[in-house]
Amino acid sequence: MSSVSSSLAFSVLDLAPINAGSTPADTFRRSLDLAQNVERLGYTRYWLSEHHNMASVASSAPVVLIGHLAGGTTTLRIGSGGVMLPNHAPLVVAEQFGTLATLYPGRIDLGLGRAPGSDQVTAQAIRGSRFGGPQDFPRDIQQLQAYFSTTNRTNAVRAIPGEGLDIPLYILGSSTDSAYLAAALGLPYAFASHFAPGQLLPALEIYRQHFRPSAHLAAPYVIACVNVVAATTDAEAQWLSTSLQQFMLGVIKGRPAPLQPPVESMHGLWEPAQQHAVGQMLAYAFIGSKATIQRDLQEFVDQTQVNELMAVSNIFSHEARVYSYQLLAEALRALPQKQAEAGLVGAESR
């Protein structure tokens, strides 16, 4: 167990949005190009989410996309944000990520969530009668840890490849339940404040208060996922952010649609109650020029004391999306360096 300096790291969460008028193939090409760009910009990691039965996202098979992006980059850590573990047998996950970590040593992260990443009907189609549900999440994580351990070599069921590999595990969450679990297991914690901002501060307090050091992590390590839309001016960023607002509006309506182009005004697209609901979901959306997001993110980091920011940027124009991540990197590098120490083993911070 070791300690490393924890200057604020910055990373990418890619929801693999499908733009209106585009195809999943277009999404995958854009994701690879974005990964290559943020690698040059010094981002720490690039995670892909798992969603099913949604016309708006193409990341139903993140393990395949992780291999694709890892093969097209050289230093960037690539991982899942996350694998929805109740959808999968732990042995299969161990074998898949063991294969990835063998192909791309030292570059693969395994983020784990307990939600289905879909509606309940789709979840039933995925799981059938074979697997348990969210209540089995803690047990399944421990089973994964066992498959990755060297001590599992004498057991009847082994993960090959996977056994004995240093594959960092992260607990993902959008509620306080996951905070207790991550703390008890001594694992790093990534919170989905990009869509569940209300529980962020209570979850972080619980995680830090109850954290137990482990062989994997000496001290609490927190990643906060936030929405970022950065542009040359505040006005341009606000205009670009209407694509994100339309995306969230579709989620609230229960009809997620492909990512739409920006509009001059959201007036007429939503009702007041819907506008309020979208505003609540986007409480941690940082929108504006580089100076504006630098100021607002400084306040956020001061308040939360997170170790890492993971940005979601659902911007319709790919060029504007890449530029947003460039501006974000420049803004974050200008923030005062954190002086705290974090004991993150197996996951490097640059």
Side-chain angles (χ1 to χ4, degrees):
M1 187 162 55
S2 63
S3 293
V4 294
S5 177
S6 66
S7 59
L8 185 70
F10 45 96
S11 300
V12 173
L13 175 62
D14 185 0
L15 302 182
I18 302 173
N19 286 7
S22 296
T23 67
D26 297 322
T27 295
F28 300 152
R29 284 191 289 270
R30 287 191 287 262
S31 289
L32 178 57
D33 184 73
L34 179 61
Q36 292 168 339
N37 273 280
V38 300
E39 181 174 67
R40 288 191 289 269
L41 291 168
Y43 279 73
T44 299
R45 68 189 90 247
Y46 191 112
W47 282 4
L48 295 138
S49 61
E50 177 184 344
H51 290 93
H52 302 277
N53 195 32
M54 295 180 67
S56 54
V57 296
S59 55
S60 58
V63 67
V64 179
L65 293 178
I66 290 168
H68 176 58
L69 298 190
T73 52
T74 57
T75 60
L76 190 66
R77 297 193 67 90
I78 312 290
S80 59
V83 163
M84 300 294 104
L85 195 50
N87 294 345
H88 310 278
L91 175 61
V92 174
V93 175
E95 291 171 335
Q96 290 174 339
F97 278 79
T99 301
L100 287 168
T102 301
L103 290 169
Y104 309 104
R107 295 184 55 211
I108 301 299
D109 295 332
L110 176 49
L112 300 164
R114 76 172 79 214
S118 64
D119 58 87
Q120 292 303 313
V121 174
T122 305
Q124 179 63 33
I126 293 169
R127 300 172 187 172
S129 59
R130 295 172 296 166
F131 310 129
Q135 68 275 7
D136 296 325
F137 187 52
R139 184 196 66 190
D140 288 348
I141 291 173
Q142 292 173 322
Q143 185 64 71
L144 261 178
Q145 290 177 315
Y147 285 134
F148 287 138
S149 70
T150 56
T151 58
N152 197 62
R153 66 168 63 95
T154 59
N155 288 347
V157 179
R158 302 167 62 187
I160 302 173
E163 189 175 285
L165 296 182
D166 180 22
I167 303 174
L169 302 186
Y170 297 76
I171 303 299
L172 277 59
S174 58
S175 71
T176 55
D177 289 347
S178 56
Y180 285 108
L181 179 61
L185 296 176
L187 292 174
Y189 184 43
F191 194 87
S193 41
H194 62 294
F195 73 86
Q199 294 292 307
L200 173 64
L201 297 180
L204 296 191
E205 182 178 359
I206 289 167
Y207 172 64
R208 289 168 175 147
Q209 180 179 352
H210 294 274
F211 181 84
R212 299 177 184 174
S214 68
H216 312 283
L217 193 62
Y221 190 93
V222 173
I223 302 172
C225 301
V226 297
N227 295 285
V228 175
V229 178
T232 303
T233 66
D234 288 348
E236 182 184 4
Q238 290 292 338
W239 175 69
L240 291 172
S241 73
T242 59
S243 295
L244 171 60
Q245 291 172 333
Q246 292 176 80
F247 183 86
M248 289 300 193
L249 178 60
V251 172
I252 288 171
K253 289 181 175 180
R255 299 193 299 272
L259 190 66
Q260 299 297 310
V263 293
E264 293 302 324
S265 172
M266 290 291 293
H267 181 71
L269 296 180
W270 54 17
E271 299 173 359
Q274 295 168 338
Q275 180 180 0
H276 178 71
V278 170
Q280 287 186 315
M281 291 182 71
L282 297 180
Y284 291 128
F286 299 92
I287 301 167
S289 65
K290 181 170 71 173
T292 296
I293 63 169
Q294 181 179 323
R295 178 199 66 210
D296 294 344
L297 284 171
Q298 179 68 71
E299 293 177 2
F300 178 80
V301 172
D302 289 344
Q303 180 186 31
T304 61
Q305 291 297 297
V306 297
N307 304 93
E308 185 171 338
L309 283 173
M310 182 167 280
V312 182
S313 294
N314 282 338
I315 298 173
F316 187 80
S317 162
H318 179 65
E319 292 74 18
R321 188 183 184 203
V322 171
Y323 186 52
S324 177
Y325 279 110
Q326 176 184 329
L327 293 176
L328 175 62
E330 293 171 359
L332 291 177
R333 285 200 184 94
L335 297 184
Q337 296 295 297
K338 286 167 60 64
Q339 299 301 317
E341 292 292 313
L344 187 59
V345 178
E348 300 172 354
S349 292
R350 291 201 289 268

